[in-house]
Amino acid sequence: MAMHLANAISYITDEEKTQDGALVGSHNCNTDTALQEMLATKRKFGKPDKRQGYHFIISFKKQEVRPETAMEITQKFVEKYFGDNFQCLYATHDNTEHVHSHILFNSVSWRTGRKYRYEKGDWAREIQPIVNGLCKEYGLSIQDIEIGTKEKEPKKWDKTKQGIFKWNHQISLDVEDSISIADNYESFLKLMEQKGYGIQQKNGETYLKPMGVKRFIRLTEISSHYTKEAIEIQIGKSIRHEASRSENRIPRIIRCRKNYKRYIPLSPYQKAFYAKMYRTGQLKRKPYSKMWQYKEEAERFEKLQSQYLYLHRNNIRSAEELENRKKDVSIRMDALDEQRHQIYKRRYPHKPVLALLNIIEENEIRASYYKKGSSKKGSSFYAANYEKWKEAVEILIQKGYTVHQVMEMKERYQRELAEVAKVKRELKKEENLINDIFFEKSRVQVAEKIMPGLEIKENATEIMHKGGDAEEVEPMETEIPAHADTKQLENKPAQSKEQGQWVQAR
């Protein structure tokens, strides 16, 4: 993983582009040891993987600024934007017609351990105004700033993939099927429309709207190979391949036998015939799946299934028992709040010691560079960090603690708080599930008041049998009608002997 940072540093500090290294600078780290310090920061906070760093490029107009002035502007930008949080290495290149500066910074803050996150809109809201202000200060025209990284951008969160359906895979199947029989790009779009997709073209991009989905999806978001040019190339290859096969085909007789049960694949002539029928619109293909039509029903089934399983596992047979369960959950959550309060109360007298530990951890790496490189040029850069670290250690010893003892104390409190938070999250989920069950009950009551003759035939056991993939459960001997009153429930028999069936839950 360090290869990305090493290559980037080697590129931006090239002596041929930076006047033999004169146009290279650093911020919150030493120029000569920037890579080692960035990696040490990642190891310290346990974040050595994923994105390694970010790369900004400030471009100046042709022959408008001298390299030394561009270097000053870059230094001021780095100090103003990053402050005392991130380790940066920057350099100005003068080997091209327009002078430009490269800024490479660590993705992990050396002070807090938090990772830098570039959000949509940060460029216009924060970065560009700083660059524009500095350019105006030096009498230059407003410049552009580019943002790049030495790694691939993380995949965007695709909400269509987070449920029980894999929408993008389904769309890919329909796209590939349409490409295989299309004559050109326009016929490809018509085939997609016949499959039930909405089509929209805007700014040279094609957008699809699957059945049951409210928004259009850019076709290139499904796959980078689905650009207009790429699809036209695939269609052309398919047509040429089919033509070459038909030219070289030798006529032959296909023998058929009566009651021959084994599957006989279509002949090349038959395939070509059906392909032509599809192209001319005489035959229409349907999507591979009709899952779009049942999205809401499937989600509701999944919700009802989880509610039924909860009632069965906890042997809850009446609304009163469910209400008692909710009160018990509330009591346990209050107890967890009290437990957390006691942990904070025990930790409070040690806050000064823990604050000293934070100072030690923040300056420990740089203090070690100062001690190891006391005889090397540039070691005085870390003298202030060493003094802070040394002073904090001395005060800690005067209070009767060692650094190791305080670290163990900190980890113990963090572990206790994390355990309390984990249990409370589980109880909160259970509380939400109980509230959903009561909501379903009240909704059925309202429906029956509006339509007195309404009968809801499906019970929880039937739902479980329909699910198929859910875990197997035994039917409950008495089940709760969702619209029934608790008092009526006590007087109502659990099982009807005449009908020989379980009492159905509405």
Side-chain angles (χ1 to χ4, degrees):
M1 297 298 290
M3 185 67 68
H4 300 294
L5 282 176
N7 291 339
I9 290 174
S10 175
Y11 171 74
I12 70 173
T13 59
D14 190 346
E15 293 183 354
E16 295 181 359
K17 302 174 182 178
T18 59
Q19 297 182 6
D20 295 329
L23 299 178
V24 178
S26 60
H27 180 67
N28 292 328
C29 64
N30 190 289
T31 305
D32 299 328
T33 58
L35 177 61
Q36 291 77 10
E37 293 180 50
M38 291 181 183
L39 296 178
T41 298
K42 295 178 186 296
R43 288 193 295 269
K44 174 186 175 182
F45 293 103
K47 299 179 179 179
D49 55 351
K50 297 183 180 179
R51 188 187 298 276
Q52 298 296 294
Y54 288 81
H55 184 188
F56 288 1
I57 305 171
I58 303 178
S59 300
F60 299 90
K61 288 191 176 180
K62 184 177 179 180
Q63 298 179 351
E64 187 183 40
V65 63
R66 297 174 62 249
E68 294 76 12
T69 305
M71 188 68 176
E72 290 180 19
I73 294 173
T74 305
Q75 181 180 357
K76 289 184 178 181
F77 168 79
V78 166
E79 292 173 353
K80 192 169 184 179
Y81 182 66
F82 296 106
D84 196 28
N85 283 319
F86 291 92
Q87 300 159 317
C88 307
L89 187 68
Y90 55 92
T92 299
H93 289 185
D94 62 351
N95 63 317
T96 59
E97 293 182 354
H98 62 281
V99 177
H100 59 280
S101 296
H102 295 266
I103 302 170
L104 181 70
F105 63 96
N106 193 359
S107 60
V108 180
S109 171
W110 71 274
R111 289 185 66 253
T112 63
R114 293 184 178 179
K115 278 204 166 187
Y116 176 87
R117 289 197 61 176
Y118 176 80
E119 302 288 350
K120 185 177 181 180
D122 285 355
W123 170 81
R125 185 172 54 253
E126 299 178 9
I127 301 173
Q128 189 69 57
I130 298 175
V131 177
N132 293 345
L134 292 172
C135 289
K136 289 179 181 179
E137 181 182 336
Y138 281 81
L140 303 175
S141 57
I142 294 175
Q143 310 299 329
D144 294 329
I145 182 168
E146 302 172 10
I147 301 175
T149 61
K150 303 312 288 184
E151 291 182 338
K152 292 182 179 179
E153 290 290 334
K155 292 183 178 179
K156 295 181 180 179
W157 178 265
D158 187 353
K159 62 183 179 181
T160 62
K161 290 185 177 180
Q162 306 311 316
I164 57 177
F165 302 111
K166 301 294 182 183
W167 305 109
N168 285 12
H169 176 67
Q170 177 63 39
I171 297 172
S172 295
L173 293 175
D174 289 334
V175 169
E176 294 292 341
D177 179 62
S178 298
I179 290 174
S180 66
I181 60 176
D183 288 329
N184 49 47
Y185 192 74
E186 288 69 25
S187 65
F188 160 74
L189 296 179
K190 290 180 180 178
L191 288 167
M192 292 299 292
E193 285 182 345
Q194 292 174 5
K195 288 180 170 62
Y197 290 89
I199 304 295
Q200 189 179 82
Q201 290 184 294
K202 185 178 179 182
N203 299 329
E205 293 279 355
T206 301
Y207 296 79
L208 301 178
K209 188 177 76 169
M211 292 181 292
V213 178
K214 295 181 179 179
R215 296 183 180 179
F216 281 86
I217 303 171
R218 187 185 288 108
L219 189 56
T220 51
E221 288 184 2
I222 308 301
S223 172
S224 59
H225 300 291
Y226 290 159
T227 61
K228 182 178 179 181
E229 294 76 13
I231 290 175
E232 288 177 341
I233 292 172
Q234 291 184 59
I235 292 172
K237 288 181 178 179
S238 177
I239 293 174
R240 287 194 298 273
H241 178 69
E242 187 65 31
S244 63
R245 286 186 58 188
S246 61
E247 290 175 0
N248 300 326
R249 188 178 296 121
I250 299 174
R252 62 190 180 91
I253 297 175
I254 300 176
R255 294 183 179 180
C256 295
R257 227 176 14 180
K258 190 177 180 180
N259 298 327
Y260 188 65
K261 295 182 180 180
R262 200 178 74 178
Y263 171 73
I264 301 176
L266 295 176
S267 68
Y269 174 78
Q270 290 172 322
K271 290 180 180 178
F273 174 78
Y274 279 111
K276 186 175 181 179
M277 294 286 285
Y278 286 125
R279 293 191 192 104
T280 56
Q282 298 181 48
L283 291 178
K284 295 182 180 180
R285 288 195 179 185
K286 296 180 180 179
Y288 284 93
S289 171
K290 293 185 178 180
M291 64 174 65
W292 324 95
Q293 301 176 12
Y294 310 116
K295 178 182 177 182
E296 294 182 0
E297 289 82 354
E299 289 176 349
R300 178 163 173 77
F301 162 75
E302 196 175 49
K303 184 177 179 181
L304 292 173
Q305 184 186 59
S306 63
Q307 294 174 7
Y308 171 80
L309 291 174
Y310 175 78
L311 294 173
H312 177 76
R313 292 192 190 105
N314 295 281
N315 198 25
I316 297 174
R317 299 173 179 274
S318 65
E320 185 179 358
E321 290 181 6
L322 188 61
E323 187 66 40
N324 292 336
R325 181 78 179 188
K326 182 179 179 181
K327 291 178 182 179
D328 180 60
V329 170
S330 179
I331 293 171
R332 289 162 64 188
M333 290 180 68
D334 292 340
L336 288 173
D337 290 336
E338 178 62 26
Q339 185 179 348
R340 183 176 58 185
H341 175 70
Q342 293 299 326
I343 295 172
Y344 284 135
K345 193 174 180 180
R346 286 190 284 108
R347 193 182 66 172
Y348 183 79
H350 304 290
K351 286 188 71 176
V353 178
L354 295 171
L356 288 172
L357 179 63
N358 289 336
I359 296 174
I360 293 171
E361 289 178 340
E362 287 179 0
N363 297 276
E364 185 174 12
I365 294 177
R366 298 189 174 197
S368 65
Y369 289 142
Y370 177 82
K371 290 186 291 184
K372 292 178 182 178
S374 58
S375 60
K376 296 181 181 179
K377 181 181 177 181
S379 61
S380 59
F381 180 83
Y382 304 107
N385 300 98
Y386 175 74
E387 292 300 329
K388 291 180 182 178
W389 175 82
K390 183 179 178 182
E391 182 182 0
V393 171
E394 290 176 352
I395 296 174
L396 199 64
I397 294 174
Q398 290 174 5
K399 290 181 177 291
Y401 294 94
T402 64
V403 176
H404 182 68
Q405 288 175 340
V406 181
M407 287 181 66
E408 287 184 345
M409 181 195 305
K410 179 182 177 181
E411 291 175 358
R412 184 175 68 254
Y413 286 131
Q414 288 179 343
R415 186 168 55 253
E416 291 177 359
L417 290 170
E419 291 174 356
V420 171
K422 181 180 178 181
V423 176
K424 189 171 181 179
R425 281 195 300 270
E426 295 299 324
L427 289 176
K428 188 64 179 177
K429 290 180 182 178
E430 184 176 353
E431 185 181 46
N432 291 337
L433 185 59
I434 293 173
N435 290 334
D436 288 342
I437 295 173
F438 278 118
F439 175 75
E440 291 290 339
K441 173 185 174 183
S442 62
R443 188 168 67 171
V444 173
Q445 288 176 339
V446 171
E448 291 191 342
K449 287 180 181 179
I450 296 173
M451 295 178 288
L454 177 68
E455 292 185 1
I456 302 176
K457 297 181 179 180
E458 292 182 352
N459 61 15
T461 308
E462 292 173 342
I463 292 175
M464 286 306 303
H465 286 305
K466 291 180 181 179
D469 295 334
E471 61 182 70
E472 296 182 0
V473 295
E474 294 291 333
M476 298 170 60
E477 293 184 359
T478 57
E479 299 181 350
I480 310 167
H483 66 284
D485 188 82
T486 309
K487 294 180 179 179
Q488 295 176 352
L489 204 68
E490 294 175 356
N491 300 325
K492 191 171 183 178
Q495 186 177 0
S496 174
K497 296 181 180 179
E498 296 178 358
Q499 297 178 356
Q501 297 177 349
W502 303 112
V503 178
Q504 293 183 346
R506 301 294 192 265

